[in-house]
Amino acid sequence: MAGVLDGQVAVVTGGSRGIGRACALALAANGANVVINYTSNEDAAKSTAAEAEKSGVKTLVVQADVSKPEEAQKLIKAAEEAFGKIDILVNNAGISRDRTIARMSVEEWDTVIETDLSSAFYCTNAAVGGMRERKYGRIVNISSIQGQQGAVGLANYSAAKAGLIAFTKSAARELARDKITVNAVCPGYVETDLISGLSDEIKATLIARIPLGRFGTPEEVAATVAFLVKPEGAFYTGAQLNLNGGEYM
């Protein structure tokens, strides 16, 4: 099946479920071979790979905890050894450990910062050498509306996602000379496992804040990511794409 990304290789961190899974499938649907990273859910990662392969592309499933630099390097090395290059890197891996600042432990702070922010640096640091040599690369960081406006009980998550936006801008400035674009996608509330576990009352409260009156979908986020890495998105770099139904207004 022909696609605009034919012959390209994409690495998606946290690609086994939710937004990461949707990104992997969207990139595969556009012709990219996809490396699907996961930390612990091997079955979900293999399921994502099997679904992606229906688009006629090749996949590779790699277990790696990208919050650790040596594991991130392992992921990138595995991708380059399997496919010879990396054209697209989607830094999607993320977790949350919600708690007010007064009750938050140092471990809860560190774990979220390392997983949601440091992992993007580790993976970009490992992948960018090859991109610079080939004078081509597309890096997309999955940030969040919470990195733009903050939220009660999410100081660690909001700080990580805000840091990801600043990292995006700095990396975009550094890498533009090598024809590498770096952008951030900042979703609002998206229908993932986290949302599905909330009570109807809480869901209604959240939706009341959103002018369009609904949650986003992983597929909508993935379509934005796919746009940024296709030729149509080539003039975007250092950008924040706000995908939140108008909530950030």
Side-chain angles (χ1 to χ4, degrees):
M1 186 181 298
V4 71
L5 300 178
D6 277 2
Q8 294 198 29
V9 177
V11 174
V12 181
T13 67
S16 65
R17 57 193 177 88
I19 290 173
R21 173 185 169 90
C23 288
L25 297 182
L27 296 172
N30 281 280
N33 298 316
V34 184
V35 179
I36 298 159
N37 157 249
Y38 74 99
T39 299
S40 57
N41 197 334
E42 182 179 12
D43 289 343
K46 287 183 175 179
S47 172
T48 300
E51 187 66 25
E53 288 172 1
K54 292 180 182 179
S55 293
V57 303
K58 296 178 181 178
T59 66
L60 176 69
V61 173
V62 181
Q63 191 283 328
D65 180 354
V66 291
S67 71
K68 297 178 173 60
E70 64 277 8
E71 292 279 296
Q73 290 167 7
K74 180 186 81 171
L75 166 64
I76 298 304
K77 183 178 180 181
E80 290 177 335
E81 287 181 348
F83 293 107
K85 63 173 183 171
I86 296 170
D87 301 288
I88 299 163
L89 173 62
V90 181
N91 288 309
N92 166 75
I95 60 170
S96 61
R97 297 287 185 270
D98 302 353
R99 206 175 300 279
T100 59
I101 292 170
R103 296 178 178 273
M104 186 179 295
S105 69
V106 171
E107 181 183 7
E108 287 167 334
W109 172 270
D110 286 345
T111 299
V112 171
I113 295 295
E114 288 164 4
T115 304
D116 294 31
L117 175 57
S118 296
S119 67
F121 163 69
Y122 298 147
C123 290
T124 301
N125 174 260
V128 78
M131 290 181 175
R132 292 181 70 188
E133 286 179 9
R134 291 184 298 276
K135 299 296 182 184
Y136 182 86
R138 297 287 180 263
I139 300 171
V140 182
N141 299 317
I142 306 300
S143 182
S144 169
I145 189 174
Q146 308 304 353
Q148 298 170 309
Q149 64 184 22
V152 174
L154 293 175
N156 48 4
Y157 183 84
S158 296
K161 294 300 187 178
L164 203 50
I165 292 170
F167 174 72
T168 295
K169 293 177 180 180
S170 293
R173 288 184 182 275
E174 283 189 24
L175 299 173
R177 70 187 69 180
D178 294 308
K179 311 303 180 187
I180 300 167
T181 65
V182 190
N183 292 288
V185 176
C186 302
Y189 289 101
V190 176
E191 291 176 349
T192 60
D193 293 346
L194 179 64
I195 292 295
S196 65
L198 299 176
S199 68
D200 290 342
E201 182 180 2
I202 293 176
K203 288 180 183 178
T205 300
L206 296 176
I207 287 175
R209 304 176 187 170
I210 304 171
L212 288 183
R214 67 172 178 86
F215 298 129
T217 69
E219 290 72 24
E220 288 171 323
V221 180
T224 304
V225 172
F227 164 75
L228 287 169
V229 305
K230 291 193 290 186
E232 297 91 326
F235 202 52
Y236 285 80
T237 198
Q240 304 169 58
L241 274 68
N242 299 330
L243 193 71
N244 53 51
E247 182 184 358
Y248 186 49
M249 290 191 289

